[in-house]
Amino acid sequence: MGQKRVTIKDIAARLDVSLGIINKALNNKGGISDEMKERILATAKEMGYRVNKVAQSMARNTIVLGVLVPAEEKDYFSFVRRGLDKEFERLADYNVQCRYYPIENAYSAADTLEALRACITDRVHGILMCEYFPSGLEKSFEELELAGIPTVLIGDTESAAGRALCSVQVDAYRSGQMAAEMLGLCSQKDARVAILVGNKDHVEHMQKVRGFTESLSRHDLTPIGVYETYDDEEIALQLFRKIKGRLDGLYVATSTFSSIGSLLKDERPELRVICTDVDVAVAESMRAGVVQASLFQDLEKQASIAVRVLYEHIAEKKTPPKTIYVTPRLVIGSNLETFL
């Protein structure tokens, strides 16, 4: 038979005080002295008391979290969605409800503003933003603050980062550093390398570029250039065709590898390549020896942490750090299958 769970009645009986006094101490409320509060907390700890969070959550009103998502889900978002779904499933017993707000054009301030205002109208308790959102939303964030609605970002959004409760994002600078080190390990001295990035004006992409370019000399690599793909497969392919003859190594810091994968295999199989995340094209190229490694950003983990942070802030009054970095994980041939 398992050990009987300690309740607040047991603590009250031990100290010969009312249940109301015990509740005040355990929930950090006023109306009792500091000495009594410390005594109650010490006794609760000694007796092995644990808060029944499920019962506690069922006694309060439902927490509704609004999630802004792109109406057209890109490949990378499937990982984000998986993390969101898993964490909301975990919170199902804690009286938490998820409400999705699709955005037709995630780069449109008007579409994003419409979704944010819908969240305010619906009186959600918190908001998760899951895409790269445009500038020009300062007024909407003022409205969110006035309404007391905290926002957590999944990924780094420059226009919103200063107004958000927290941003959960990949450690992009470290990603760039790791890519440079890996190219250095698998290339000859003074190898000529370049980086394909989505948009140099985006904070996360800028950090990848910085981490990469600032580490090149340390690994005896020669920079050829930084090329923007705007996350467009066709642009990535055109750029690669222009520079492939001058390269010994390439860091694909964006999700546009599939367009150049077959070209690499046919025309530059000796090129050293480091990719980002693991999709079908990256996995096939790694198995074929065309890609040496990839940097897994763990979008699922980012999303899961973001949900948890927002819930704990609302339900338990916890204040998270302004930024939570998720360190990328190195994927090579021997551990590839564990990431698929």
Side-chain angles (χ1 to χ4, degrees):
M1 183 181 292
Q3 188 175 2
K4 182 177 176 292
R5 184 187 181 97
V6 177
T7 69
I8 62 172
K9 288 183 180 180
D10 298 322
I11 302 171
R14 169 78 69 88
L15 296 174
D16 194 22
V17 297
S18 70
L19 292 176
I21 294 294
I22 301 296
N23 263 318
K24 286 179 179 179
L26 295 177
N27 292 291
N28 199 26
K29 295 181 179 179
I32 62 172
S33 67
D34 290 341
E35 182 182 354
M36 175 57 78
K37 183 183 295 185
E38 289 176 9
R39 186 180 168 205
I40 291 171
L41 292 176
T43 302
K45 183 176 181 180
E46 177 193 331
M47 295 178 69
Y49 173 75
R50 295 176 62 189
V51 176
N52 187 338
K53 292 189 176 181
V54 173
Q56 193 178 66
S57 62
M58 295 308 293
R60 57 161 159 75
N61 293 329
T62 300
I63 291 177
V64 181
L65 301 182
V67 186
L68 273 62
V69 297
E72 182 181 349
E73 295 188 3
K74 301 175 184 178
D75 289 342
Y76 87 91
F77 187 75
S78 62
F79 295 99
V80 174
R81 189 63 176 260
R82 192 184 306 165
L84 291 169
D85 290 344
K86 281 186 178 180
E87 199 60 28
F88 279 117
E89 183 179 349
R90 189 186 74 83
L91 291 173
D93 293 333
Y94 290 81
N95 211 10
V96 178
Q97 183 184 110
C98 168
R99 193 173 295 170
Y100 286 101
Y101 293 82
I103 300 174
E104 289 302 322
N105 181 359
Y107 294 94
S108 164
D111 289 357
T112 305
L113 181 59
E114 183 180 350
L116 287 172
R117 287 191 169 152
C119 288
I120 295 173
T121 300
D122 292 344
R123 297 184 178 182
V124 302
H125 297 89
I127 295 174
L128 292 150
M129 298 175 75
C130 306
E131 248 284 15
Y132 303 142
F133 294 90
S135 58
L137 298 175
E138 291 77 10
K139 185 170 177 57
S140 62
F141 275 89
E142 289 176 9
E143 293 175 15
L144 290 172
E145 288 171 1
L146 288 172
I149 302 175
T151 303
V152 172
L153 309 177
I154 302 171
D156 190 3
T157 305
E158 185 178 21
S159 62
R163 311 301 290 268
L165 171 71
C166 173
S167 172
V168 183
Q169 58 189 270
V170 68
D171 190 338
Y173 186 83
R174 193 180 299 275
S175 293
Q177 289 180 311
M178 291 171 68
E181 183 171 356
M182 286 305 299
L183 283 176
L185 288 171
C186 61
S187 303
Q188 295 183 349
K189 186 176 180 180
D190 297 325
R192 298 164 300 173
V193 299
I195 174 174
L196 290 183
V197 70
N199 188 326
K200 286 189 287 188
D201 291 332
H202 186 272
V203 176
E204 183 180 300
H205 298 185
M206 287 170 57
Q207 290 299 318
K208 287 181 180 179
V209 171
R210 277 191 57 234
F212 184 69
T213 56
E214 291 177 5
S215 303
L216 294 180
S217 61
R218 189 181 317 145
H219 303 291
D220 296 319
L221 298 171
T222 301
I224 295 299
V226 177
Y227 301 91
E228 293 176 283
T229 68
Y230 301 99
D231 292 323
D232 185 294
E233 295 279 359
E234 186 58 36
I235 293 176
L237 183 58
Q238 291 174 10
L239 286 170
F240 181 68
R241 281 178 172 149
K242 287 181 180 179
I243 64 175
K244 62 186 175 72
R246 298 187 289 140
L247 288 178
D248 300 307
L250 179 66
Y251 171 31
V252 185
T254 179
S255 57
T256 51
F257 175 77
S258 60
S259 62
I260 64 177
S262 58
L263 199 63
L264 270 170
K265 185 177 181 180
D266 295 337
E267 300 183 18
R268 290 298 312 275
E270 78 284 2
L271 194 68
R272 308 290 86 182
V273 181
I274 308 299
C275 285
T276 299
D277 287 325
V278 182
D279 58 18
V280 173
V282 171
E284 288 179 352
S285 294
M286 288 185 71
R287 292 189 186 107
V290 176
V291 169
Q292 280 60 58
S294 191
L295 299 172
F296 188 67
Q297 301 181 107
D298 214 339
L299 293 165
E300 182 178 326
K301 182 177 181 180
Q302 290 181 48
S304 179
I305 291 173
V307 174
R308 195 177 318 143
V309 161
L310 186 56
Y311 167 74
E312 291 179 351
H313 175 72
I314 295 168
E316 302 174 16
K317 310 303 179 188
K318 292 184 179 180
T319 301
K322 198 68 176 174
T323 306
I324 297 175
Y325 290 108
V326 175
T327 302
R329 290 190 281 167
L330 184 66
V331 185
I332 54 177
S334 58
N335 68 350
L336 171 62
E337 299 304 321
T338 65
F339 290 88
L340 296 176

